[in-house]
Structures are given as C-alpha cells and as structure tokens.
C-alpha cells in the first residue's frame, strides 16, 4: 500500500539511502508513488531467484536473509539485512534477474522504493535524484565489502579457521570480545557453508580448549 503516514516518511528520512534528502523531497517522492509498504511473515520469500524487480526493499522492522538455494535444496546465507538497511538495490537499478532469494528471517515490515523513478527522464533535474544516486553508490560499495568479508570466512578449509575469522570480524565490528550474532546454529552453518553437526561439534571443542564461551547466539572470545 502507498505510504500516507508521515511517521513512516520521518523514519525513512533517517536512513542512509535518503541522507540529505529533505522531508519535502520525500513527500514529493511519496506523491509520485515511490514508496509502498508490506508485511511479511517469517519464512516468506520477498524476492525469488529469477525475478526481475524494479524496487529495492528497506527493512523497517525485522530481518531479511539474502540466500542462495540450489535445485537440491542446499542453502547458503550470503548476508543479513537488518532494520534500516536495504536490499536488491543493484538488481532493481540494473533490471538484472535476481540470482538470490530475499527471505524474511522473522516477521518483517518492508518499505519498497520504486527505482524506476531514478531512471525517468522527466525527473533528471530533480535535486533529490543526485542525492539518492550518491547514497546508492555508497550502499553498493558497503555491500561489496560485506560480501568480501564473507568470502574470507568461507575460504579456509577447516571449520575452526572459518569460525575464527568470523568471530574475529564480529569482535572488530562490535568493538568487543563479547557479542551476539544474528544466526542460530543452522543459519550460522548456512552462512559459513558448513554441516550443522560438524559446526556444533567444533564450537564445543573451541569452548573446551578455552578459546570461547557461548550461550545460544551470544559469544565471548577468551585470551
């Protein structure tokens, strides 16, 4: 549905994608039909592999997983999109078929932004256009860094090496040796391309070796 609640526009104005875009400009975009909102239950697929989309999603509530699923049912979680973050912007902007699924990891509220508006000739002189395109470039660059970080985690051959790199990244991101990850055990295994039982066994070994402590998805790295 089209957004009419000014609170949503106020919330959107705080997001990096609309950095320096004025509230009046957001109202103008809303009047052009740029924004729609939809709720998704946990497990619902927001975008399917093969879809050609014209919109990017912005997570206003909940979490979205970007997943790669092969025809045999094997799943890899490529990235986690949390509240305030966007997804599918590159696919929507270039009109390339989706090579991944975007899945609601929990009950989520998504605001969709119609990227076609950025490509229409009649809006090329609008002051909000350059601001949004600049922000889009920044987001895309950050996404490349995130995907590169994941490739570092999945490159080592041993489970312990993959876990060690992932935990080191999380400690750096959280600026603490005590942190909470956005995955349960199966999701962490899918993210690191590991078997769940082998992952759980290695976590217990690392705990017994005095390297980590953990409770569910909370971890503490020990010296």
């Amino acid at each position: 549905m089209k957004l009419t609640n000014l609170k949503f526009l106020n919330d959107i104005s705080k997001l990096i994608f609309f950095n320096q875009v004025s509230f009046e400009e957001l109202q103008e975009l809303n009047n052009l039909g740029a924004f729609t909102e939809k709720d998704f239950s946990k497990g619902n697929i927001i975008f399917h592999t093969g879809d050609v989309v014209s919109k990017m999603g912005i997570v206003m509530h909940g979490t979205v997983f970007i997943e790669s699923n092969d025809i045999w049912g094997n799943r890899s979680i490529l990235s986690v999109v949390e509240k305030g973050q966007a997804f599918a912007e590159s696919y929507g902007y270039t009109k390339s078929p989706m090579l991944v699924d975007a899945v609601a990891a929990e009950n989520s509220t998504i605001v969709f932004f119609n990227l076609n508006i950025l490509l229409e000739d009649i809006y090329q002189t609008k002051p909000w256009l350059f601001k949004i395109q600049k922000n889009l470039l920044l987001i895309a660059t950050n996404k490349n860094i995130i995907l590169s970080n994941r490739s570092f985690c999945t490159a080592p051959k041993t489970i312990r090496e993959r876990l060690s790199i992932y935990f080191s990244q999380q400690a750096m991101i959280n600026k603490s040796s005590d942190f909470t990850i956005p995955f349960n055990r199966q999701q962490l295994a899918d993210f690191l391309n590991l078997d769940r039982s082998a992952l759980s066994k290695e976590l217990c070994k690392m705990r017994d070796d005095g390297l980590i402590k953990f409770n569910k998805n909370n971890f503490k790295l020990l010296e």
Side-chain angles (χ1 to χ4, degrees):
M1 62 180 178
K2 181 180 177 180
L3 292 180
T4 56
N5 189 334
L6 294 183
K7 181 180 182 302
F8 278 101
L9 292 181
N10 185 59
D11 292 340
I12 288 171
S13 69
K14 301 173 184 177
L15 303 179
I16 187 172
F17 188 78
F18 300 106
N19 184 38
Q20 297 185 341
V21 179
S22 69
F23 191 81
E24 291 73 23
E25 289 171 330
L26 287 175
Q27 286 180 309
E28 179 184 356
L29 286 164
N30 189 44
N31 291 335
L32 292 172
F35 302 107
T36 53
E37 179 192 17
K38 188 174 181 180
D39 293 325
F40 293 87
S41 298
K42 180 180 179 180
N44 284 174
I45 298 180
I46 303 167
F47 292 139
H48 292 77
T49 298
D51 286 349
V52 177
V53 301
S54 60
K55 300 177 180 180
M56 60 172 276
I58 304 170
V59 180
M60 302 306 295
H61 173 75
T63 309
V64 172
F65 286 159
I66 305 302
E67 301 179 356
S68 173
N69 295 280
D70 64 29
I71 60 175
W72 296 281
N74 298 310
R75 178 178 76 158
S76 294
I77 297 177
L78 304 180
S79 63
V80 181
V81 188
E82 299 179 311
K83 181 178 178 181
Q85 298 178 336
F87 60 94
E89 64 281 354
S90 296
Y91 290 108
Y93 199 70
T94 63
K95 301 297 183 294
S96 301
M98 296 278 295
L99 298 178
V100 294
D101 294 333
V103 183
E106 57 184 318
N107 294 340
S108 302
T109 299
I110 308 299
V111 168
F112 295 98
F113 177 73
N114 184 2
L115 291 164
N116 283 338
I117 289 177
L118 304 182
L119 303 174
E120 295 185 19
D121 292 338
I122 59 175
Y123 303 128
Q124 294 305 303
T125 59
K126 292 290 185 178
W128 43 258
L129 180 66
F130 174 74
K131 300 174 187 177
I132 294 177
Q133 289 177 330
K134 179 181 178 181
N135 295 334
L136 184 63
L137 177 61
L138 178 60
I139 290 173
T141 303
N142 286 331
K143 290 285 183 71
N144 287 336
I145 293 174
I146 292 172
L147 290 175
S148 295
N149 288 343
R150 180 181 181 272
S151 68
F152 294 147
C153 294
T154 57
K157 293 182 179 181
T158 70
I159 299 174
R160 180 168 296 198
E161 285 177 316
R162 294 188 186 191
L163 286 168
S164 297
I165 292 174
Y166 177 70
F167 289 151
S168 296
Q169 289 180 356
Q170 293 302 305
M172 187 179 303
I173 291 170
N174 290 278
K175 298 180 180 180
S176 172
S177 60
D178 191 337
F179 50 83
T180 300
I181 67 173
F183 300 127
N184 60 30
R185 290 293 179 271
Q186 183 60 60
Q187 292 163 352
L188 180 59
D190 292 338
F191 182 77
L192 296 176
N193 283 344
L194 297 170
D195 175 76
R196 177 181 174 177
S197 60
L199 167 70
S200 297
K201 186 181 296 185
E202 188 59 41
L203 285 173
C204 291
K205 287 182 179 178
M206 293 177 71
R207 179 193 59 196
D208 295 343
D209 290 344
L211 298 175
I212 61 173
K213 288 183 179 180
F214 60 86
N215 180 29
K216 295 183 179 180
N217 62 340
N218 179 258
F219 290 83
K220 181 176 177 60
L221 308 187
L222 305 176
E223 295 183 4

